[in-house]
Amino acid sequence: MAPKEFCLPLYEKIARKNTIHRALDITLLFLLASLLFYRLLALKNHGFVWLLAFLCESWFTFNWFLNVSSKWNPVEFKTYPENLEQRFPELPPVDMFVTTADPVVEPPIMTVNTVLSLLAVDYPAHKLACYVSDDGCSLLTFYSLVEASKFAKLWVPFCKKYKIQLRAPFRFFLDDPTSSSANSEFKQEWKKIKAEYEHLSLKIEEAGRKSTPCDLSGEFAVFFEIERSNHPTIIKIIAENKQSSRDDDVPHLVYISREKRPKQPHHFKAGAMNVLSRVSGLMTNAPFMLNVDCDMFVNNPQVVRQTMCHLLGSKSESEIAFVQHPQRFYDGPKDDPYGNQFDIFFEYVFPGIAGIQGPLYGGTGCFHRRKVIYGLWPDNAENQGRNHTSIEGKLDDCEQLKVFGKSKEFSESAIYALKGKKDFPNNLSDSLEAAFPVAGCGYEFGTSWGTKVGWIYGSMAEDALTGLEIHKKGWKSTFLAPHPPAFLGCTPSAGPAVMSQQKRWAIGLFEILVSKNSPIFATLNGKLQFRMLLFYIWLFLWGVSSIPELCYTALPAYCIIANSHFLPKVQEPAILIPVITFMIYNLATLREYLKTGMSIRAWWNNMKMGRIIATSAYLFGFLTVVLKLLGLSDTVFEVTKKDQSNSDGDETDGTTIFTFDESPIFVPGTTILLVHLTALLAFFLGLRPLVDDVGQGVGLGEVLCSLWVVLCFLPFLKGLFKRGKYGIPSSTIFKSTSLALVFVYLCRTSWG
Ligand SMILES: O=c1ccn([C@@H]2O[C@H](COP(=O)(O)OP(=O)(O)O[C@H]3O[C@H](CO)[C@@H](O)[C@H](O)[C@H]3O)[C@@H](O)[C@H]2O)c(=O)[nH]1
Ligand SMILES: [Mn+2]
């Protein structure tokens, strides 16, 4: 019989009951199918408008089907970290990666807080190493980290001693415990550490105001006359943990700014992640790697232990390649006014796909197995467990060179990792010299980095692509949603930033679908499960859905102006199909929101932002990819601006006001609004028919739809009358008016 400790479970997978959810989903699918059937039957009596409606509705039905399939079998996970040490008295090392790219859009104090929260997690400090990649090559960032590392010597022991939950100081010090009944020793230490933290922030703030943040001597000298996009590699070991396992220990901290040369592709975040993998491979080579964006701090110090329950507790290694934590946000404006807090996605889609092959990789808050990142297949992982043969057995020197690049030291470390060997000689200073070449910008030429090994290149959504490549090999993944949430990050809280982020995703996701990495070919080898493929298609089509969304949005306005109709007339019984579909859809989505504890307003915000984002950001994303495919443009990763708080006055009486800028991304939304206002005005003022009465007459349905569109685009309507960042710039209004006039003119040459 197996010893008792082998029987102790580390985690459990539990199926979530969702009968009502399924019933509603299927009802909707049935209604949509009936609508399509009705349209087909009636198509010959109607013209172009019905055909267009039919095509759009076919798309929506297909999309709904993909969505239902993704959410059909939700599962949840329960972990038992209390059993962890009994089963694994020696916990495995974890390398933690933080990426930052721009000290202006991503203030160093934010990166510092993320790093401090990582250094302080509840895990043996000598098993952890934190690597920061700085694509901004900023002296200020480096200086801030050096200062932070001094503060960490106080902060980490303090957090551990008092079992602090929130280990990012800027959040922790928002609460003042001194008036509470906490013990006096704690209160005193709290005051002392708070003063130290304030001192640290002040120093960083002051350094940020100067043209050179600090003296360019000593360890800072390498930053002398450095150019951000043209500089050699800089690697600095800020703090090295000398392997003692005392409680007040602080993990290693390493700063990396990889080499950059003009005209050399650097592959944005994916490139940075690959450099992090290689440098850490040489220095600490932990079998697990956690990566977070610079704005994402640890909110639950148990996160590493909790995650290890999945990674170590699975029956066989091939079960789990990575564990993704849902992206949750702090200080997100109330009721999700920009529809970008993704609660519903993480509450329903994540558990849904976890019931298939596992959640997608979301780019931050994810623990990867190093060997999976190095390209290992699950079968090899299994074999290696049994008879110690693995990928490395088949790689001779020449092949190693082709796969991992010309650093012998790195190839050796990679084989170490692939074999799953423990006790990697862990001495940072000794490996420093070997680390420079692997961070060079020419290192990857002729290797498998970015294609078969590491983070995969070729998409603005390197996360989804890298995760997809892992799933394609047959690996599974899981997610964990502990309370409190493991990580918290920033989400944009201004119209322009939201649009630009959504556009990047639409680009990145659609790019994958039309690339050679497209999942469509991947189920052929049987490793990517079919319903996982359906999920990925649903995700990658976000950008494309802008076209049917746009057409369908235009239909009611067109019909009113052209005196035509795209819905059955009120007196026809068939009108019940779209009416009931509309009602059930809204009730079913509302139910999802209420069940997750969100408000009706949050639901409505997401509904309307869904329409706004689809017809603007996704549209631009889609067009960008089309232009790229035609060889007319290239895509650039625009780093999202991180607001640390909502203090820029967007909130008045608790509701956020939408903000705009000169970007053309606001033209489609404004045009849609103007077109509908024109149509409704013409209708209610009795100015119709604007065309000769050749149409079949507009019905009540079209008018109600048009009103609904105006309701969805209400932020734009308000924007028409506001000034400054809350108002739509007059140049945008001018462009949109011109487009709206063209539209009205085209309606008059009725095709109805
Ligand atoms: O050249 C670059 C560009 C970006 N980054 C880093 O990448 C991270 C994500 O960038 P951000 O602008 O914050 O993107 P978001 O839209 O917030 O990020 C989401 O979407 C990205 C893919 O589009 C994923 O990489 C992210 O993990 C995910 O949080 C940040 O830490 C950046 O510092 C780099 O290191 N180098
Ligand atoms: Mn981000």
Side-chain angles (χ1 to χ4, degrees), residues 316-321 369 371-372 375-392 394 417-420 473 475:
S316 84
E317 280 201 331
S318 60
E319 288 273 302
I320 300 171
R369 267 182 219 282
K371 50 187 169 188
V372 176
L376 197 74
W377 287 68
D379 305 346
N380 289 335
E382 299 255 293
N383 291 341
Q384 176 223 317
R386 263 180 256 127
N387 55 19
H388 292 278
T389 57
S390 86
I391 174 172
E392 98 284 353
K394 296 166 213 144
L418 287 164
K419 274 186 178 169
K473 293 192 175 113
W475 288 102

Tab-separated table of all heavy atoms in Angstrom, residues 316-321 369 371-372 375-392 394 417-420 473 475:
chain	number	residue	atom	x	y	z
A	316	SER	N	-0.007	12.898	-13.738
A	316	SER	CA	1.217	12.798	-14.516
A	316	SER	C	1.557	14.199	-14.975
A	316	SER	O	0.688	15.064	-15.056
A	316	SER	CB	1.013	11.874	-15.712
A	316	SER	OG	0.437	12.599	-16.760
A	317	GLU	N	2.819	14.422	-15.293
A	317	GLU	CA	3.248	15.763	-15.654
A	317	GLU	C	2.526	16.297	-16.884
A	317	GLU	O	2.350	17.481	-17.052
A	317	GLU	CB	4.749	15.769	-15.930
A	317	GLU	CG	5.567	15.821	-14.676
A	317	GLU	CD	6.955	16.326	-14.973
A	317	GLU	OE1	7.424	16.114	-16.099
A	317	GLU	OE2	7.546	16.931	-14.081
A	318	SER	N	2.134	15.363	-17.757
A	318	SER	CA	1.528	15.817	-19.004
A	318	SER	C	0.153	16.424	-18.767
A	318	SER	O	-0.475	16.943	-19.656
A	318	SER	CB	1.415	14.660	-19.977
A	318	SER	OG	0.617	13.667	-19.400
A	319	GLU	N	-0.324	16.325	-17.535
A	319	GLU	CA	-1.615	16.926	-17.239
A	319	GLU	C	-1.577	18.441	-17.421
A	319	GLU	O	-2.442	19.011	-18.040
A	319	GLU	CB	-1.995	16.625	-15.790
A	319	GLU	CG	-2.382	15.203	-15.538
A	319	GLU	CD	-3.851	14.975	-15.794
A	319	GLU	OE1	-4.641	15.658	-15.149
A	319	GLU	OE2	-4.194	14.121	-16.629
A	320	ILE	N	-0.568	19.055	-16.848
A	320	ILE	CA	-0.620	20.514	-16.757
A	320	ILE	C	0.680	21.157	-17.237
A	320	ILE	O	1.733	20.954	-16.641
A	320	ILE	CB	-0.881	20.951	-15.299
A	320	ILE	CG1	-2.208	20.374	-14.810
A	320	ILE	CG2	-0.900	22.464	-15.196
A	320	ILE	CD1	-2.432	20.572	-13.340
A	321	ALA	N	0.580	21.949	-18.292
A	321	ALA	CA	1.752	22.670	-18.792
A	321	ALA	C	1.900	23.994	-18.079
A	321	ALA	O	2.987	24.419	-17.752
A	321	ALA	CB	1.633	22.900	-20.290
A	369	ARG	N	5.834	25.580	-16.932
A	369	ARG	CA	6.932	24.639	-16.748
A	369	ARG	C	8.035	25.036	-17.715
A	369	ARG	O	7.769	25.206	-18.912
A	369	ARG	CB	6.476	23.236	-17.147
A	369	ARG	CG	5.954	22.418	-16.036
A	369	ARG	CD	5.575	21.036	-16.552
A	369	ARG	NE	4.360	20.613	-15.905
A	369	ARG	CZ	4.307	20.127	-14.657
A	369	ARG	NH1	5.401	19.986	-13.965
A	369	ARG	NH2	3.164	19.781	-14.124
A	371	LYS	N	10.385	23.341	-19.047
A	371	LYS	CA	10.652	22.423	-20.149
A	371	LYS	C	9.589	22.495	-21.231
A	371	LYS	O	9.867	22.219	-22.396
A	371	LYS	CB	10.840	20.994	-19.657
A	371	LYS	CG	9.797	20.466	-18.738
A	371	LYS	CD	10.279	19.109	-18.242
A	371	LYS	CE	9.426	18.616	-17.112
A	371	LYS	NZ	9.992	17.411	-16.522
A	372	VAL	N	8.380	22.879	-20.865
A	372	VAL	CA	7.337	23.032	-21.884
A	372	VAL	C	7.685	24.227	-22.768
A	372	VAL	O	7.565	24.182	-23.989
A	372	VAL	CB	5.956	23.210	-21.230
A	372	VAL	CG1	4.891	23.469	-22.272
A	372	VAL	CG2	5.605	21.979	-20.414
A	375	GLY	N	9.978	23.583	-25.444
A	375	GLY	CA	9.488	22.826	-26.596
A	375	GLY	C	9.222	21.358	-26.364
A	375	GLY	O	9.011	20.604	-27.317
A	376	LEU	N	9.210	20.930	-25.120
A	376	LEU	CA	8.986	19.498	-24.857
A	376	LEU	C	7.546	19.086	-25.173
A	376	LEU	O	6.614	19.851	-24.956
A	376	LEU	CB	9.275	19.210	-23.382
A	376	LEU	CG	9.477	17.732	-23.051
A	376	LEU	CD1	10.825	17.260	-23.547
A	376	LEU	CD2	9.388	17.506	-21.541
A	377	TRP	N	7.388	17.868	-25.692
A	377	TRP	CA	6.053	17.305	-25.932
A	377	TRP	C	5.641	16.494	-24.722
A	377	TRP	O	6.497	15.916	-24.050
A	377	TRP	CB	6.073	16.412	-27.173
A	377	TRP	CG	6.166	17.190	-28.441
A	377	TRP	CD1	7.241	17.911	-28.864
A	377	TRP	CD2	5.145	17.351	-29.426
A	377	TRP	NE1	6.955	18.510	-30.059
A	377	TRP	CE2	5.684	18.184	-30.438
A	377	TRP	CE3	3.846	16.880	-29.552
A	377	TRP	CZ2	4.943	18.551	-31.564
A	377	TRP	CZ3	3.118	17.239	-30.671
A	377	TRP	CH2	3.661	18.071	-31.661
A	378	PRO	N	4.349	16.393	-24.471
A	378	PRO	CA	3.911	15.643	-23.281
A	378	PRO	C	4.398	14.199	-23.285
A	378	PRO	O	4.776	13.675	-22.247
A	378	PRO	CB	2.386	15.691	-23.355
A	378	PRO	CG	2.022	16.635	-24.427
A	378	PRO	CD	3.234	17.021	-25.177
A	379	ASP	N	4.433	13.573	-24.462
A	379	ASP	CA	4.877	12.166	-24.508
A	379	ASP	C	6.295	12.051	-23.992
A	379	ASP	O	6.633	11.142	-23.244
A	379	ASP	CB	4.863	11.637	-25.944
A	379	ASP	CG	3.504	11.817	-26.562
A	379	ASP	OD1	2.577	12.091	-25.772
A	379	ASP	OD2	3.372	11.705	-27.783
A	380	ASN	N	7.137	13.007	-24.394
A	380	ASN	CA	8.516	12.966	-23.943
A	380	ASN	C	8.613	13.155	-22.445
A	380	ASN	O	9.446	12.551	-21.787
A	380	ASN	CB	9.352	14.038	-24.644
A	380	ASN	CG	9.558	13.687	-26.096
A	380	ASN	OD1	9.509	12.511	-26.455
A	380	ASN	ND2	9.757	14.679	-26.929
A	381	ALA	N	7.748	14.005	-21.922
A	381	ALA	CA	7.766	14.232	-20.478
A	381	ALA	C	7.411	12.942	-19.764
A	381	ALA	O	8.004	12.591	-18.751
A	381	ALA	CB	6.783	15.327	-20.110
A	382	GLU	N	6.444	12.211	-20.316
A	382	GLU	CA	6.023	10.948	-19.703
A	382	GLU	C	7.162	9.933	-19.745
A	382	GLU	O	7.504	9.324	-18.748
A	382	GLU	CB	4.853	10.365	-20.504
A	382	GLU	CG	3.647	11.258	-20.523
A	382	GLU	CD	2.571	10.737	-19.616
A	382	GLU	OE1	2.023	9.672	-19.918
A	382	GLU	OE2	2.300	11.399	-18.607
A	383	ASN	N	7.763	9.782	-20.927
A	383	ASN	CA	8.842	8.813	-21.081
A	383	ASN	C	9.964	9.084	-20.108
A	383	ASN	O	10.490	8.198	-19.471
A	383	ASN	CB	9.436	8.890	-22.495
A	383	ASN	CG	8.442	8.370	-23.499
A	383	ASN	OD1	7.527	7.659	-23.118
A	383	ASN	ND2	8.613	8.741	-24.749
A	384	GLN	N	10.275	10.378	-20.054
A	384	GLN	CA	11.398	10.752	-19.239
A	384	GLN	C	11.146	10.386	-17.783
A	384	GLN	O	12.034	9.927	-17.091
A	384	GLN	CB	11.617	12.246	-19.403
A	384	GLN	CG	12.685	12.817	-18.538
A	384	GLN	CD	12.193	14.119	-17.975
A	384	GLN	OE1	11.594	14.918	-18.672
A	384	GLN	NE2	12.416	14.294	-16.694
A	385	GLY	N	9.894	10.541	-17.379
A	385	GLY	CA	9.551	10.135	-16.027
A	385	GLY	C	9.829	8.644	-15.826
A	385	GLY	O	10.302	8.228	-14.782
A	386	ARG	N	9.549	7.854	-16.843
A	386	ARG	CA	9.672	6.409	-16.677
A	386	ARG	C	11.092	5.893	-16.908
A	386	ARG	O	11.646	5.181	-16.108
A	386	ARG	CB	8.693	5.695	-17.609
A	386	ARG	CG	7.422	5.314	-16.889
A	386	ARG	CD	6.469	4.608	-17.820
A	386	ARG	NE	5.393	5.510	-18.216
A	386	ARG	CZ	5.045	5.759	-19.441
A	386	ARG	NH1	5.683	5.212	-20.445
A	386	ARG	NH2	4.064	6.571	-19.699
A	387	ASN	N	11.662	6.245	-18.070
A	387	ASN	CA	12.956	5.609	-18.351
A	387	ASN	C	14.068	6.603	-18.694
A	387	ASN	O	15.051	6.257	-19.350
A	387	ASN	CB	12.810	4.562	-19.453
A	387	ASN	CG	12.184	5.178	-20.687
A	387	ASN	OD1	12.208	6.400	-20.819
A	387	ASN	ND2	11.655	4.372	-21.581
A	388	HIS	N	13.864	7.842	-18.282
A	388	HIS	CA	14.939	8.832	-18.398
A	388	HIS	C	15.431	9.083	-19.813
A	388	HIS	O	16.558	9.453	-20.016
A	388	HIS	CB	16.121	8.462	-17.497
A	388	HIS	CG	15.769	8.583	-16.065
A	388	HIS	ND1	15.796	9.771	-15.398
A	388	HIS	CD2	15.312	7.655	-15.199
A	388	HIS	CE1	15.375	9.573	-14.150
A	388	HIS	NE2	15.079	8.315	-14.022
A	389	THR	N	14.627	8.803	-20.796
A	389	THR	CA	15.020	9.268	-22.126
A	389	THR	C	14.134	10.461	-22.436
A	389	THR	O	12.967	10.466	-22.105
A	389	THR	CB	14.767	8.221	-23.225
A	389	THR	OG1	13.398	7.887	-23.181
A	389	THR	CG2	15.641	7.015	-23.058
A	390	SER	N	14.683	11.456	-23.034
A	390	SER	CA	13.846	12.597	-23.384
A	390	SER	C	14.456	13.283	-24.586
A	390	SER	O	15.408	12.801	-25.173
A	390	SER	CB	13.708	13.549	-22.202
A	390	SER	OG	14.788	14.431	-22.201
A	391	ILE	N	13.895	14.412	-24.899
A	391	ILE	CA	14.315	15.154	-26.080
A	391	ILE	C	15.848	15.280	-26.156
A	391	ILE	O	16.446	15.176	-27.214
A	391	ILE	CB	13.626	16.540	-26.091
A	391	ILE	CG1	14.138	17.419	-27.219
A	391	ILE	CG2	13.777	17.257	-24.780
A	391	ILE	CD1	13.335	18.707	-27.344
A	392	GLU	N	16.490	15.414	-24.981
A	392	GLU	CA	17.930	15.697	-25.031
A	392	GLU	C	18.725	14.519	-25.562
A	392	GLU	O	19.814	14.686	-26.092
A	392	GLU	CB	18.431	16.140	-23.639
A	392	GLU	CG	19.083	15.078	-22.806
A	392	GLU	CD	18.054	14.135	-22.200
A	392	GLU	OE1	16.838	14.408	-22.328
A	392	GLU	OE2	18.455	13.127	-21.631
A	394	LYS	N	18.123	12.912	-28.074
A	394	LYS	CA	18.164	12.928	-29.536
A	394	LYS	C	18.907	14.139	-30.091
A	394	LYS	O	19.075	14.273	-31.285
A	394	LYS	CB	16.733	12.929	-30.072
A	394	LYS	CG	15.978	11.681	-29.725
A	394	LYS	CD	14.487	11.905	-29.974
A	394	LYS	CE	13.671	11.112	-28.958
A	394	LYS	NZ	12.484	11.800	-28.540
A	417	ALA	N	17.250	21.274	-17.594
A	417	ALA	CA	15.832	21.551	-17.345
A	417	ALA	C	14.951	20.494	-17.998
A	417	ALA	O	13.979	20.025	-17.411
A	417	ALA	CB	15.482	22.931	-17.870
A	418	LEU	N	15.299	20.124	-19.216
A	418	LEU	CA	14.478	19.147	-19.933
A	418	LEU	C	14.497	17.794	-19.230
A	418	LEU	O	13.508	17.076	-19.200
A	418	LEU	CB	14.976	19.006	-21.373
A	418	LEU	CG	14.644	20.185	-22.282
A	418	LEU	CD1	15.491	20.165	-23.537
A	418	LEU	CD2	13.166	20.182	-22.642
A	419	LYS	N	15.639	17.461	-18.670
A	419	LYS	CA	15.750	16.184	-17.953
A	419	LYS	C	15.037	16.222	-16.614
A	419	LYS	O	14.856	15.195	-15.980
A	419	LYS	CB	17.228	15.892	-17.677
A	419	LYS	CG	17.949	15.185	-18.787
A	419	LYS	CD	19.338	14.836	-18.287
A	419	LYS	CE	20.122	14.070	-19.328
A	419	LYS	NZ	21.534	13.972	-18.938
A	420	GLY	N	14.686	17.428	-16.174
A	420	GLY	CA	14.029	17.556	-14.883
A	420	GLY	C	14.986	17.313	-13.739
A	420	GLY	O	14.610	16.905	-12.654
A	473	LYS	N	0.354	20.816	-28.762
A	473	LYS	CA	1.167	19.612	-28.531
A	473	LYS	C	0.409	18.595	-27.695
A	473	LYS	O	0.888	17.494	-27.464
A	473	LYS	CB	2.464	19.991	-27.810
A	473	LYS	CG	3.397	20.844	-28.649
A	473	LYS	CD	4.752	20.934	-27.985
A	473	LYS	CE	5.728	21.665	-28.868
A	473	LYS	NZ	6.138	22.953	-28.281
A	475	TRP	N	-0.681	19.373	-24.536
A	475	TRP	CA	-0.602	19.724	-23.115
A	475	TRP	C	-1.936	20.278	-22.636
A	475	TRP	O	-2.703	20.840	-23.411
A	475	TRP	CB	0.446	20.814	-22.889
A	475	TRP	CG	1.870	20.401	-23.016
A	475	TRP	CD1	2.693	20.627	-24.079
A	475	TRP	CD2	2.667	19.714	-22.044
A	475	TRP	NE1	3.945	20.125	-23.831
A	475	TRP	CE2	3.953	19.562	-22.578
A	475	TRP	CE3	2.403	19.214	-20.759
A	475	TRP	CZ2	4.979	18.927	-21.881
A	475	TRP	CZ3	3.427	18.592	-20.071
A	475	TRP	CH2	4.704	18.444	-20.636
